Amino acid sequence: MTLSTTRRRRSPPWLTRKLKIKMTQAEAQHRDHAVVEQVFADLFDGPLAYMPYGSFPANGAWLVLAAIAHNLTRAAGCLAGQWHAVARGATIRGHLIGVAARIARRGHGEITLHLLEGWHAGQEWLSLFEAACGPPLARAA
């Protein structure tokens, strides 16, 4: 491949003239392609890296579960806040799902989760928790 063919291939005006589409349509299609590529990258870095590969039904089930986990992770990121809404799946798993906390149980089955003091994603995690479970119940004095 020569330099001239590389330049011709990367030229957006040549592409839009050849395919007879408007530049705005080409940009929108390119953005959609970039979003799909990002989803593939998140899936291949996460659950699809551990696909069983042994049998077709097992792979199909694994793919369905990977899609469900990906969608739940993205939803959790959107509920946590603006920064996590656009973060990669591995970042959301590291900041919001893999939480270093201590679980304490009191009488009558009440469970208390003690988060670390000064944790960098503490407010985002609390936003996610309140959006998913609602605000904490008021205690009687």
Side-chain angles (χ1 to χ4, degrees):
M1 182 182 328
T2 64
L3 185 59
S4 61
T5 58
T6 304
R7 284 188 188 151
R8 236 182 291 135
R9 190 177 301 164
R10 291 183 182 172
S11 173
W14 171 82
L15 176 67
T16 55
R17 281 195 305 269
K18 180 79 172 176
L19 299 176
K20 298 193 187 304
I21 59 175
K22 293 183 179 177
M23 183 62 101
T24 55
Q25 291 172 331
E27 287 179 29
Q29 187 178 18
H30 179 71
R31 268 189 239 103
D32 290 342
H33 181 72
V35 169
V36 169
E37 289 295 326
Q38 185 65 43
V39 169
F40 286 157
D42 277 348
L43 286 172
F44 286 130
D45 286 344
L48 293 185
Y50 306 104
M51 205 163 175
Y53 296 115
S55 68
F56 187 76
N59 287 344
W62 193 270
L63 184 61
V64 168
L65 293 174
I68 292 170
H70 175 76
N71 288 337
L72 289 174
T73 303
R74 297 303 317 161
C78 290
L79 289 174
Q82 187 69 27
W83 188 83
H84 284 97
V86 296
R88 301 266 325 246
T91 304
I92 295 171
R93 286 190 300 271
H95 286 189
L96 301 176
I97 296 173
V99 178
R102 185 175 56 86
I103 298 174
R105 175 172 274 193
R106 294 188 180 150
H108 307 294
E110 182 180 326
I111 296 174
T112 305
L113 186 67
H114 296 279
L115 299 173
L116 296 174
E117 298 250 349
W119 180 37
H120 65 89
Q123 186 59 43
E124 290 85 357
W125 193 88
L126 289 173
S127 299
L128 169 63
F129 184 78
E130 286 184 9
C133 299
L137 299 174
R139 291 186 181 177

